[in-house]
Amino acid sequence: MATVTAPMDTRARQEWAEEVRRLARERDAVILAHNYQRPEIQDIADHTGDSLALSRLAAGVEASTIVFCGVHFMAETAKILSPEKTILLPEPEAGCSLADTITADDVRKWRAEHPEAVVVAYVNTTAAVKAETDICCTSSNAADVIRSVPEDREILFLPDQFLGAHVKRVTGRDNIHVWMGECHVHAGIDGHTLRRRVEAEPDAELYVHPECGCATSALYLAASGAVPQERVKVLSTGGMLSAAEKTTAGKVLIATETGMLHQLRAANPTTVFEPVNSRAECHYMKMITAEKLLAALRHGTTEITVPEDIAARARLSVERMVAIGSPSRGGE
Ligand code: SF4
């Protein structure tokens, strides 16, 4: 078996892929990969998708073990929804700067200041934070979740300030308090960069994926008119792939984490897909390497657990979201 340090040549990659598949069968494991994973991880996975779509898949698959190639809060969400399954995260340090902007204690203190408020949380939060909230949301169903709350109830929205500003605008409500968290990848897709790229490429389409935190600033800018609406398509992962297959545009600019380009380029080799900012890369997502996936399958590492009391409360918040709208509409 060849050592699998990048880059692998074709033979080494084939050997690695065979070993991964063999170990996955042996362990009765299914491999799920987020869209922002490294290309080789996406290619070997049984399914790719956004965080919630993958969590729902995790709940539905028959395999007893899920190897979740994504970040920590995603593996936790899979565990919350599939408590009977073993969830492995190949790199336990794969975190999320957005989820890290708020703790369970912060939520308790905030709620104490607004005792009548309903707490709405974006899915990019830890299980402990979800357990302190009333309803979860994705960026695509956030407005529906907000509308499900009676008009006269205050809302505490966390942790993404861009998504919070977006839902405030589209719902027209002024009784929403927004936590000022943001994802570090936002910095690469700021208004100046987005406008400059769109102006420099007058014939290019612009796809904005709303799911991960890195795209919410682009979503905000598009909705605020900072870039021309007719040029912007806010699309789910599946919608982005369908649009990529059909488009006749010579070039499409992609305002999201750069990992998404791998699937788009494979879907349509004749159109040029370029990132709005090539540095908009989540280093947490890229912590999962070919070697770490192999080690996870060999050694059963690292198992993600969520204490049952936290999981039970967090599950309520996630299930309310599922009951309100189509949570994976923005991702599949
Ligand atoms: S891109 Fe941002 S929001 Fe998404 S996992 Fe990475 S740090 Fe978190």
Side-chain angles (χ1 to χ4, degrees), residues 193-204 206 227-228 231-232 253 276:
T193 309
L194 197 60
R195 252 190 300 263
R196 188 171 47 77
R197 292 285 276 136
V198 168
E199 280 166 15
E201 305 276 2
D203 298 322
L206 173 65
V227 294
R231 300 269 305 282
V232 181
L253 303 174
V276 165

Side-chain angles (χ1 to χ4, degrees), residues 34 36 71 73-74 95-99 122 124 160 182-186 211-215 257 281-285:
H34 191 270
Y36 302 158
V71 296
F73 80 82
M74 297 177 182
C96 168
S97 58
L98 178 58
Y122 187 33
N124 290 39
D160 189 322
E182 69 173 350
C183 153
H184 72 289
V185 184
H186 280 135
E211 185 56 39
C212 206
C214 59
E257 208 273 355
E281 184 176 286
C282 176
H283 71 275
Y284 295 115
M285 287 282 184

Side-chain angles (χ1 to χ4, degrees), residues 21-40:
R21 299 283 14 134
R22 187 187 71 74
L23 289 167
R25 275 193 305 278
E26 200 174 277
R27 198 172 271 286
D28 186 30
V30 68
I31 301 168
L32 305 183
H34 191 270
N35 294 312
Y36 302 158
Q37 288 289 296
R38 294 167 183 271
E40 61 272 26

